Amino acid sequence: MPDLLAGLNPEQLRAVTLPRESALILAGAGSGKTRVLTTRIAHLIQSGQASPAGILAVTFTNKAAREMLTRLSAMLPINTRGMWVGTFHGLCNRLLRTHHREAGLPQLFQILDSGDQLSMVKRLAKAQNLDEEKFAPRQLQHFINNCKESGLRANAVEAGDDFTRRMVAFFADYDAQCNREGVVDFAELLLRTFELLARNLDLLTHYQERFRYILVDEFQDTNKLQYKWIRMLAGSNGCVFAVGDDDQSIYRFRGADVGNMNEFLRDFGVREVVKLEQNYRSQGSILDAANAVIAQNKARLGKNLWTAEGRGEPLRVYAAANDEEEARFVVDEVRQLHREGIALADMALLYRSNAQSRILEHALFRAGIAYKVYGGLRFFERQEVKHALAYLRLAANPDDDGAFSRVVNFPPRGIGARTIEQLQEAAAAGLGSLSRAAQAGAVGGRGGTALAGFLAIVERLRKGAETLTLPELIDEALAASGLKDHYAAERDGQDRVENLNELVNAATLFNEEFEIGVEPAGEAQEDVAPVPGTHQQQVLAAFLSHASLEAGEHEAAAGEDALQLMTVHASKGLEFDAVFLGGLEEGLFPHDNSLNEDGGIEEERRLMYVAITRARKRLYLTYAGSRMLHGQPRYGIVSRFVEEIPAELCKWIVLPEKQAWAAPQKSAWDKPAWGGGGRGEAWASGGGRAPRADANQYATAPRASFETSRPDEHPFAIGANVRHAKFGEGVVINIEGRGLDARVQVRFRAEGTKWLALQYAKLTPA
């Protein structure tokens, strides 16, 4: 009989061998929680406390479930095929298939994925003549899913206004349609299973007696209904082995409720909280940084990660003048690490917002470094970006049928499939392109009127392409098309709006490079045919070619060594030898949206904790004095999360060409040592922090002048660091007016962005 317990550390052993009672295993990042969970199951079976059929194990991904079953097969000579190990949705599907009659479902009921569900919502909304501007299909879909995940049917939802009442009525109609068609969506799987067991006590008792041991992975990610489902299935005699980490609860936007962990302790009378704190992934300095940051959160159960592998290297911190310099630095460091023998696949570039990937992708593309965007699309392949580019393609060539088809009814403007079919028939009959067929009046009635409105937008953009700069043209396209307003109205549309803003930044950078004669990356000038038209039309044509190249080339093939790019959310559960975490400025990470949300900053700090603990050996933290936002520089201050890391854990990188700028602050560093890296970087080392490790260390914006002899001069400059008696430290990001009659807009570290009248503000230099 195999010795399952060999090699477990004392806390892991304690968790695996707990007696039959509910317990919480507080498992830190990299502490071997999957091993503990799997070994606990194997131990229960081997010791005769449970049969394979008497165990229910819940995971959050199918991948985790497969890994658990594979490990169990290797540990014990058992058949795992019949074991109840899977995700909430998978287990509920299995239970509903078994009891489909009691659940009121056909035996072969179908499951709607997210795309199928949205299609049904659109179909039903169209049949009811709902105004898509007011009741966006995605908004209706989110409303339905949120209600179900809260355990509510339409008749239980409180509606205090006409808008909500109409949403509730649609929810009821949607449910009725699903029942008629014999289909269920993902949220329905869990809700219907809960309702089935709640109203059928014999069935509930059967499963309560069968599953005497319930194990739940990633417990911090459970939502309200999932927790109620676990409580009901466990009953009064159930034994729940909950494994999770409240410090890694980062999915509140999906409904995850970190408070379930405290409720579990109370509801199940938990006596055992086992803390797995020994980390097998990261070096000591990285763990110390993670501990220091997360310790600032008040609402946590508390643990402290440690490792027996030594302190390792310090964290590298780099303050760039702007986001372009930040991206160049990252690319140079990636090259150096690769030369030193670290595979590209063992390095990751993490960012808070998807839109941040664009400038990194551009720098990597120009450098010819293979990369993959993990869990998402490359910037120019994202839906909203491709929609915006389609409008630009029509501005360059109204006869582009591909672009025409993509956006003729996006955002929705009442142009249906039949109208498109009529256009296609007319075009094939000799009218040429879809645009020409529409101009010739091939479609009448309401469809023709809607087409005329679309053609007016295209004509407006076509004329704009002759005279507007590229960034101006994109602004015009986003406004005229309604794309930005459309995504802004979606509940989860913030990322898409940020990507559209980033497209303006991309155009601004491209425009500058084009004007100074920089070749578009990936193509030689002699191979590019001259484009007729005005200078602005030539820039547009070149930009569209550039976007196509960046979208389609240098994509790493399957199995190819490639750098990994991803959001911090997508990185959870992964680990890398070297991690670059960029954009560490207030307003970006932590995100502006978190400042006004209850518990928002604490969730952002947990996200920072997750990001730090992805690194095994080397961690880079970078931030910029200015960052392009909608084609204009946005000045920021360093993230509070950077300043929460003890100075002795960090080394500040100063590039050789920046040493003169850093010199005035060098005296504050304890025993500065220069040299070391293959790139000839200079280190600010020895446990001393630059006195203000902020984004203006290398800022290109002019510093504030606090003495002025002219009444029309501003006593502050954009980019200046300031201090206010009430609001604390901040940076000037905008100025209106003249002299002391002016007002300044300041982004404060703790209080967000505020406009202040200079005459009364009593601002002082920071």
Side-chain angles (χ1 to χ4, degrees):
M1 185 173 291
D3 184 1
L4 301 176
L5 308 182
L8 297 177
N9 69 39
E11 294 307 307
Q12 290 174 335
L13 179 63
R14 180 181 166 210
V16 167
T17 58
L18 283 171
R20 189 183 180 278
E21 62 182 57
S22 293
L24 176 63
I25 312 304
L26 203 58
S31 63
K33 74 173 178 62
T34 304
R35 182 184 184 188
V36 167
L37 196 59
T38 309
T39 307
R40 169 70 172 176
I41 296 174
H43 174 68
L44 291 173
I45 296 171
Q46 187 186 64
S47 62
Q49 298 178 63
S51 68
I55 292 173
L56 179 76
V58 187
T59 66
F60 265 79
T61 66
N62 289 317
K63 178 183 176 183
R66 287 193 298 270
E67 181 181 353
M68 190 177 296
L69 291 171
T70 300
R71 290 195 187 191
L72 281 171
S73 296
M75 297 170 79
L76 291 175
I78 59 173
N79 183 359
T80 61
R81 290 180 64 103
M83 291 187 68
W84 285 63
V85 177
T87 64
F88 278 102
H89 293 127
L91 294 171
C92 287
N93 175 50
R94 183 172 176 177
L95 200 148
L96 290 175
R97 297 284 179 192
T98 306
H99 305 284
H100 62 90
R101 289 190 183 89
E102 295 93 331
L105 290 169
Q107 185 175 5
L108 300 177
F109 67 84
Q110 298 299 306
I111 299 173
L112 301 176
D113 64 19
S114 182
D116 294 333
Q117 183 191 28
L118 182 60
S119 295
M120 176 177 277
V121 168
K122 289 179 177 178
R123 191 169 70 246
L124 187 59
K126 184 176 181 181
Q128 296 184 358
N129 291 318
L130 277 185
D131 181 357
E132 284 198 20
E133 300 254 335
K134 188 175 182 182
F135 298 96
R138 286 192 182 276
Q139 186 178 18
L140 291 167
Q141 181 185 31
H142 286 307
F143 178 80
I144 291 167
N145 290 341
N146 286 342
C147 289
K148 290 186 178 186
E149 288 168 2
S150 299
L152 301 175
R153 292 291 182 192
N155 59 8
V157 179
E158 294 185 7
D161 54 73
D162 290 340
F163 179 79
T164 307
R165 278 190 286 273
R166 187 66 191 89
M167 298 272 278
V168 170
F170 183 86
F171 177 15
D173 293 339
Y174 166 85
D175 258 0
Q177 184 65 28
C178 287
N179 287 329
R180 282 193 294 272
E181 295 185 18
V183 298
V184 298
D185 54 50
F186 281 134
E188 180 72 17
L189 286 170
L190 188 66
L191 179 57
R192 190 167 293 226
T193 303
F194 181 82
E195 292 171 340
L196 168 66
L197 296 175
R199 68 172 180 264
N200 193 324
L201 295 183
D202 289 340
L203 196 61
L204 175 60
T205 301
H206 165 75
Y207 282 108
Q208 286 176 339
E209 291 177 351
R210 175 175 179 172
F211 298 128
R212 298 179 67 247
Y213 289 91
I214 299 174
L215 301 94
V216 186
D217 193 13
E218 303 287 6
F219 194 83
Q220 76 280 352
D221 292 335
T222 54
N223 63 31
K224 288 291 187 185
L225 183 58
Q226 288 166 343
Y227 178 60
K228 288 171 66 177
W229 186 86
I230 293 166
R231 279 190 63 189
M232 181 172 65
L233 206 54
S236 57
N237 297 315
C239 171
V240 177
F241 186 86
V243 181
D245 183 2
D246 58 331
D247 290 335
Q248 295 189 76
S249 179
I250 58 174
Y251 296 120
R252 183 170 58 167
F253 65 94
R254 293 182 187 168
D257 187 352
V258 68
N260 285 346
M261 298 187 84
N262 281 314
E263 288 193 28
F264 173 70
L265 293 174
R266 183 184 67 248
D267 295 340
F268 285 81
V270 174
R271 295 185 303 168
E272 289 282 358
V273 177
V274 180
K275 298 181 180 182
L276 304 182
E277 298 173 301
Q278 183 173 358
N279 178 281
Y280 295 92
R281 174 191 301 158
S282 306
Q283 294 182 335
S285 59
I286 294 171
L287 297 180
D288 289 346
N291 289 331
V293 170
I294 202 64
Q296 305 300 316
N297 275 3
K298 306 303 179 189
R300 59 189 295 258
L301 296 173
K303 65 182 181 312
N304 209 51
L305 296 179
W306 63 276
T307 181
E309 300 304 314
R311 191 175 186 83
E313 300 182 25
L315 283 63
R316 272 79 168 172
V317 185
Y318 177 64
N322 52 53
D323 48 359
E324 290 181 56
E325 182 182 286
E326 180 187 43
R328 286 195 297 270
F329 166 76
V330 169
V331 168
D332 287 346
E333 286 295 315
V334 166
R335 279 173 163 162
Q336 177 61 26
L337 292 175
H338 192 44
R339 284 194 292 267
E340 292 173 5
I342 299 179
L344 291 174
D346 287 331
M347 292 184 266
L349 275 54
L350 307 185
Y351 34 82
R352 174 63 180 84
S353 168
N354 261 312
Q356 290 172 254
S357 79
R358 198 276 311 168
I359 196 162
L360 293 169
E361 289 186 55
H362 181 68
L364 292 167
F365 178 75
R366 295 192 70 87
I369 297 175
Y371 69 91
K372 275 187 173 295
V373 178
Y374 181 91
L377 297 171
R378 295 156 72 102
F379 180 78
F380 284 107
E381 294 171 348
R382 293 169 190 163
Q383 179 201 78
E384 60 279 8
V385 174
K386 295 190 78 168
H387 283 328
L389 291 174
Y391 280 102
L392 296 182
R393 284 164 56 190
L394 289 172
N397 175 19
D399 293 327
D400 185 332
D401 280 355
F404 188 98
S405 298
R406 184 179 188 91
V407 294
V408 65
N409 195 43
F410 196 91
R413 49 178 62 91
I415 299 173
R418 179 57 191 145
T419 298
I420 303 302
E421 288 175 8
Q422 289 176 295
L423 280 181
Q424 291 171 338
E425 291 166 1
L431 287 178
S433 67
L434 297 178
S435 177
R436 292 180 189 275
Q439 291 169 1
V443 179
R446 291 173 58 185
T449 302
L451 278 172
F454 176 68
L455 291 174
I457 295 172
V458 174
E459 179 61 16
R460 175 176 164 185
L461 297 179
R462 188 191 66 77
K463 290 182 177 178
E466 297 175 358
T467 57
L468 297 176
T469 66
L470 184 58
E472 290 171 344
L473 180 63
I474 294 178
D475 269 335
E476 181 79 355
L478 296 180
S481 66
L483 271 178
K484 186 177 286 189
D485 290 341
H486 172 80
Y487 287 120
E490 290 188 351
R491 176 178 173 180
D492 296 330
Q494 180 63 34
D495 268 0
R496 297 190 187 276
V497 172
E498 289 178 359
N499 283 333
L500 292 176
N501 288 336
E502 189 59 31
L503 183 61
V504 181
N505 296 342
T508 302
L509 175 61
F510 182 87
N511 206 52
E512 293 170 354
E513 292 181 344
F514 189 93
E515 295 301 336
I516 62 175
V518 175
E519 291 184 0
E523 59 185 60
Q525 290 288 8
E526 59 267 23
D527 295 332
V528 181
V531 177
T534 67
H535 176 71
Q536 300 303 344
Q537 288 173 315
Q538 292 171 355
V539 175
L540 172 59
F543 179 71
L544 291 172
S545 297
H546 163 76
S548 297
L549 284 169
E550 282 211 17
E553 291 194 359
H554 294 297
E555 175 70 31
E560 181 183 352
D561 187 28
L563 187 66
Q564 306 294 302
L565 275 67
M566 66 193 75
T567 63
V568 180
H569 279 102
S571 74
K572 188 171 179 292
L574 304 176
E575 55 187 79
F576 306 90
D577 282 346
V579 169
F580 294 81
L581 179 57
L584 287 168
E585 299 121 42
E586 290 289 304
L588 190 54
F589 198 2
H591 198 281
D592 271 332
N593 293 346
S594 69
L595 299 176
N596 300 317
E597 296 177 358
D598 184 32
I601 286 294
E602 293 220 340
E603 174 132 343
E604 290 287 294
R605 190 173 280 110
R606 293 195 292 270
L607 197 57
M608 180 70 175
Y609 175 83
V610 167
I612 293 173
T613 53
R614 298 313 94 196
R616 298 188 194 109
K617 300 176 181 177
R618 186 174 289 194
L619 177 62
Y620 292 83
L621 307 177
T622 66
Y623 52 95
S626 70
R627 190 172 297 276
M628 294 296 285
L629 180 66
H630 206 83
Q632 299 296 322
R634 158 179 160 158
Y635 298 93
I637 52 179
V638 63
S639 169
R640 68 192 72 190
F641 301 150
V642 175
E643 297 199 332
E644 288 168 1
I645 297 173
E648 63 270 15
L649 300 177
C650 302
K651 283 190 176 182
W652 278 265
I653 300 175
V654 182
L655 299 184
E657 61 269 24
K658 307 296 185 189
Q659 288 181 25
W661 296 1
Q665 304 191 25
K666 197 172 90 174
S667 61
W669 295 329
D670 182 20
K671 299 178 182 177
W674 305 101
R679 297 176 54 250
E681 66 257 23
W683 300 97
S685 67
R689 184 192 294 276
R692 283 191 49 80
D694 65 20
N696 284 291
Q697 182 175 346
Y698 309 125
T700 54
R703 304 289 293 188
S705 171
F706 296 96
E707 298 178 3
T708 176
S709 58
R710 291 175 48 188
D712 61 340
E713 286 184 343
H714 294 303
F716 295 96
I718 292 177
N721 293 309
V722 293
R723 182 180 291 109
H724 188 276
K726 179 178 179 182
F727 303 133
E729 292 186 356
V731 63
V732 177
I733 61 174
N734 201 1
I735 298 175
E736 287 185 357
R738 288 180 169 275
L740 291 178
D741 291 330
R743 64 178 193 149
V744 293
Q745 189 178 29
V746 181
R747 182 186 300 281
F748 290 102
R749 181 184 308 282
E751 300 292 334
T753 301
K754 297 182 182 296
W755 280 99
L756 302 172
L758 275 182
Q759 189 170 355
Y760 308 105
K762 296 182 180 178
L763 288 174
T764 59

